[in-house]
């Protein structure tokens, strides 16, 4: 489980690719190494991966073909910068919202508008995700817990404070970038439940009263 509060951003220090498989290596700062063990879960751009090796601050993770296909990890190159979050522990403050680290899809950045103390990022709102991307709703983008500021039929935006720009990769995001999306689980559950009820002929008359 994760909270969407990104702890740092790191460049890919090593990358080994095979057919439908990749191993990523990062040089973790000391503060993120405390208590980290082989087999632990870490969110890389919001994608839950398992620690494969630990060696003097260098931490590696494996990603299978499906993960590389669904997430933007398949586009990473040595030097690419990603968001990092260690798994939450019982008793931790939940500053964002509860995340599983299971990416549903990617969306493309359409526009980036900067001002002195704010950055507005507009992204596409694909039809299959639009029921879950709601005005003022939660969404996780590259593992960062954010509130949707505005939606239209085919796009949505988030507003980023200086802290978010400085700590996460959103300070470097550009038009055309592909962003990992995990929709809010509670929103998804409510939407899917209502859909099923509306599709049930026995329930539809009750819901219309």
């Amino acid at each position: 489980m994760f909270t969407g509060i990104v702890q740092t951003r790191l460049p890919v220090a090593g990358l080994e690719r095979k057919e439908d498989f990749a191993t990523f290596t990062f040089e973790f700062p000391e503060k993120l190494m405390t208590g980290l063990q082989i087999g632990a879960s870490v969110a890389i751009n919001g994608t839950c991966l398992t620690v494969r090796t630990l060696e003097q601050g260098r931490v590696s993770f494996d990603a299978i073909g499906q993960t590389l296909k669904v997430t933007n990890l398949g586009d990473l190159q040595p030097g690419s910068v990603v968001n990092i979050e260690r798994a939450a522990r019982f008793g931790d403050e939940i500053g964002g919202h509860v995340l599983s680290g299971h990416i549903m899809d990617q969306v493309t950045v359409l526009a980036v508008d900067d001002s002195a103390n704010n950055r507005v990022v507009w992204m596409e709102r694909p039809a299959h995700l639009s029921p879950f991307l709601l005005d003022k709703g939660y969404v996780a983008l590259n593992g960062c817990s954010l509130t949707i500021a505005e939606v239209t039929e085919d796009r949505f935006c988030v507003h980023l404070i200086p802290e978010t720009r400085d700590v996460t990769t959103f300070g470097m995001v550009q038009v055309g970038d592909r962003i990992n999306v995990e929709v809010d689980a509670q929103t998804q559950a409510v939407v899917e439940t209502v859909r099923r009820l509306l599709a049930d002929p026995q329930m539809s008359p009750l819901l219309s009263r």
Side-chain angles (χ1 to χ4, degrees):
M1 183 185 79
F2 305 93
T3 68
I5 303 302
V6 173
Q7 293 163 301
T8 192
R9 59 190 185 194
L10 295 175
V12 177
L15 173 56
E16 181 182 356
R17 290 191 182 276
K18 300 178 182 178
E19 184 177 359
D20 293 330
F21 191 85
T23 299
F24 302 96
T25 301
F26 301 91
E27 295 182 356
F28 272 33
E30 185 176 351
K31 64 180 181 179
L32 289 185
M33 290 296 296
T34 303
L36 188 64
Q37 299 178 345
I38 292 174
S41 295
V42 178
I44 311 295
N45 270 357
T47 309
C48 180
L49 297 181
T50 301
V51 174
R52 179 186 182 185
T53 64
L54 290 170
E55 185 177 354
Q56 297 181 343
R58 289 179 66 88
V59 186
S60 73
F61 305 85
D62 292 334
I64 60 175
Q66 178 66 8
T67 301
L68 299 174
K69 178 182 177 181
V70 173
T71 76
N72 58 22
L73 301 188
D75 297 328
L76 295 181
Q77 301 295 330
S80 296
V81 180
V82 300
N83 291 330
I84 304 287
E85 183 191 353
R86 291 274 307 270
R89 298 171 297 181
F90 286 108
D92 283 352
E93 179 180 355
I94 307 298
H97 69 284
V98 176
L99 305 176
S100 66
H102 299 161
I103 303 302
M104 295 185 68
D105 207 342
Q106 304 169 62
V107 294
T108 301
V109 175
L110 302 176
V112 179
D113 301 321
D114 283 314
S115 62
N117 298 303
N118 196 6
R119 165 171 272 210
V120 180
V121 180
W122 283 94
M123 286 154 280
E124 64 179 336
R125 185 174 179 243
H128 69 288
L129 293 180
S130 61
F132 315 117
L133 299 174
L134 306 174
D135 188 25
K136 305 304 182 288
Y138 284 129
V139 67
L141 301 171
N142 276 356
C144 185
S145 174
L146 296 168
T147 301
I148 297 173
E150 186 178 348
V151 299
T152 68
E153 183 176 351
D154 59 357
R155 61 155 104 184
F156 72 99
C157 75
V158 293
H159 289 224
L160 307 170
I161 61 174
E163 173 70 9
T164 303
R165 291 185 300 180
D166 293 344
V167 174
T168 77
T169 57
F170 279 101
M172 301 176 287
V173 73
Q174 299 179 353
V175 172
D177 286 354
R178 298 284 289 169
I179 306 296
N180 289 338
V181 177
E182 180 183 340
V183 301
D184 176 50
Q186 291 184 338
T187 301
Q188 184 180 10
V190 170
V191 170
E192 296 291 1
T193 299
V194 172
R195 279 176 165 175
R196 287 194 294 271
L197 291 175
L198 291 174
D200 186 342
Q202 295 181 340
M203 293 299 298
S204 293
L206 297 176
L207 293 172
S208 63
R209 291 179 181 176

